[in-house]
């Protein structure tokens, strides 16, 4: 048994989709979350900057006695993690769990991937998918406006729908039957994305799959908490705690105002 908390980081609010799933599948685990809201988004930054930011995020979480870290950021997972040193704690990204889920659920071997510009340019999703299933055809689209929409509270409505239709129409026309939401911000747009893609396209949440993968790893290593009480969660951000608490509380369905702290990074 291991009562240390799980660490999660993201460039901003989107990683809360992974937190929500972690709470669902492991309700007794405590979580320390870091959202780099002062430097969001990561997706349009250069490779070296993304690597530096990711290293900063991991180092911050390690100061909180973490037992495992989830990089709940598609850009950090695809661009930075392959180039980082061993931190002495297991650090998992969101790519491989989502790829394995998409391959197992696709019926026509036509898989779509949406992500930030950095994620799509890295080609990592296609690389992993084809290593698992060489016959799969991968269709990718960068959606750079999705993160700003979510971070500014515009995940629903006409603006989101118009932008999403522009990004997603080529993937729909390509006939994908499975779509990986390759950024943990994107499930907050799931209603809009689902309406545009249609009911026959299964949406794969990278945050959800990462949470399930983390549970499997902790279970195998006998590192689940021994507590039977609900986990305690702390949230740290590099910009306004108030703004994050308001949007994050709505999404998580609970008041997190007293648990959100602004910090230097």
């Amino acid at each position: 048994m291991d009562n240390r908390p799980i660490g999660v980081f993201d460039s901003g609010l989107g990683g809360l989709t992974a937190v929500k799933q972690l709470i669902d599948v492991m309700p007794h685990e405590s979580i320390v979350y870091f959202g780099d809201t002062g430097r969001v988004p990561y997706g349009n930054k250069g490779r070296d900057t993304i690597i530096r930011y990711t290293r900063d995020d991991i180092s911050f979480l390690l100061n909180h006695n973490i037992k495992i870290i989830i990089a709940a950021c598609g850009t950090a997972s695809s661009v930075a993690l392959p180039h980082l040193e061993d931190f002495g704690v297991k650090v998992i990204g969101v790519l491989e769990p989502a790829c394995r889920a998409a391959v197992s659920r696709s019926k026509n071997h036509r898989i779509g991937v949406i992500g930030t510009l950095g994620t799509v340019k890295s080609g990592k999703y296609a690389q992993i998918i084809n290593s698992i299933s060489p016959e799969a055809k991968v269709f990718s689209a960068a959606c750079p406006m999705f993160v700003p929409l979510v971070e500014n509270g515009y995940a629903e409505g006409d603006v989101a729908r118009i932008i999403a239709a522009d990004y997603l129409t080529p993937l729909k026309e390509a006939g994908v039957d499975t779509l990986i939401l390759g950024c943990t911000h994107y499930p907050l747009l799931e209603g809009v994305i689902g309406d545009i893609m249609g009911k026959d396209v299964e949406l794969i949440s990278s945050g959800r799959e990462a949470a399930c993968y983390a549970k499997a790893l902790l279970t195998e290593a006998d590192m689940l908490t021994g507590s039977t009480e609900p986990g305690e969660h702390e949230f740290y951000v590099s910009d306004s705690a108030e703004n994050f608490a308001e949007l994050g509380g709505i999404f998580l369905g609970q008041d997190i105002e007293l648990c959100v702290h602004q910090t230097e990074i």
Side-chain angles (χ1 to χ4, degrees):
M1 301 299 178
D2 191 332
N3 291 329
R4 291 179 295 166
I6 296 170
V8 182
F9 74 88
D10 184 49
S11 62
L13 182 77
L16 292 181
T17 60
V19 171
K20 188 173 185 180
Q21 295 302 321
L22 284 168
I23 293 171
D24 184 50
V25 301
M26 294 184 283
H28 304 302
E29 295 290 339
S30 295
I31 298 167
V32 176
Y33 180 87
F34 176 68
D36 196 5
T37 50
R39 302 190 294 197
V40 66
Y42 283 8
N44 59 6
K45 304 292 194 302
R47 172 184 172 273
D48 290 345
T49 300
I50 295 167
I51 291 173
R52 186 173 77 252
Y53 287 2
T54 302
R55 187 179 284 113
D56 290 345
D57 300 342
I58 293 172
S59 297
F60 175 82
L61 288 174
L62 289 175
N63 290 328
H64 293 266
N65 194 28
I66 299 298
K67 62 183 173 183
I68 189 171
I69 294 176
I70 300 174
C73 174
T75 301
S77 297
S78 58
V79 177
L81 290 192
H83 304 286
L84 293 180
E85 64 274 15
D86 182 1
F87 289 92
V89 170
K90 182 76 171 174
V91 180
I92 65 172
V94 293
L95 274 72
E96 187 166 344
C99 290
R100 292 194 176 280
V103 168
S104 69
R105 296 172 199 171
S106 177
K107 297 180 176 59
N108 67 2
H109 306 293
R110 299 173 77 83
I111 297 171
V113 177
I114 55 175
T116 66
L117 183 61
T119 294
V120 171
K121 282 178 65 177
S122 77
K124 290 294 184 182
Y125 271 106
Q127 181 182 334
I128 295 172
I129 289 169
N130 287 134
S131 72
I132 300 168
S133 174
E135 71 271 25
K137 294 189 189 230
V138 182
F139 302 86
S140 302
C143 304
M145 287 299 296
F146 277 2
V147 170
L149 283 172
V150 169
E151 291 285 332
N152 289 282
Y154 288 95
E156 300 176 353
D158 292 341
V159 173
R161 190 169 298 278
I162 291 168
I163 293 173
D166 185 56
Y167 290 151
L168 298 173
T169 297
L171 297 180
K172 186 172 183 179
E173 291 176 346
V176 303
D177 72 345
T178 310
L179 179 64
I180 296 175
L181 308 183
C183 171
T184 46
H185 283 74
Y186 295 1
L188 296 167
L189 291 153
E190 194 165 357
V192 171
I193 294 170
D195 285 346
I196 292 168
M197 295 304 296
K199 59 183 177 57
D200 294 329
V201 176
E202 182 169 359
L203 306 183
I204 306 293
S205 165
S206 55
R208 181 182 307 129
E209 300 305 327
C212 293
Y213 180 51
K215 181 180 181 180
L217 288 177
L218 292 174
T219 301
E220 182 180 357
D222 195 24
M223 291 175 65
L224 291 172
T225 181
S227 173
T228 57
E229 298 296 321
E232 297 180 357
H233 313 310
E234 294 289 333
F235 305 87
Y236 296 87
V237 293
S238 54
D239 198 9
S240 169
E242 182 180 355
N243 292 344
F244 181 91
E246 182 178 354
L247 288 173
I250 291 171
F251 177 68
L252 290 176
Q254 55 183 284
D255 186 357
I256 61 172
E257 183 177 0
L258 297 179
C259 305
V260 181
H261 317 282
Q262 187 173 350
T263 187
E264 296 289 337
I265 187 69

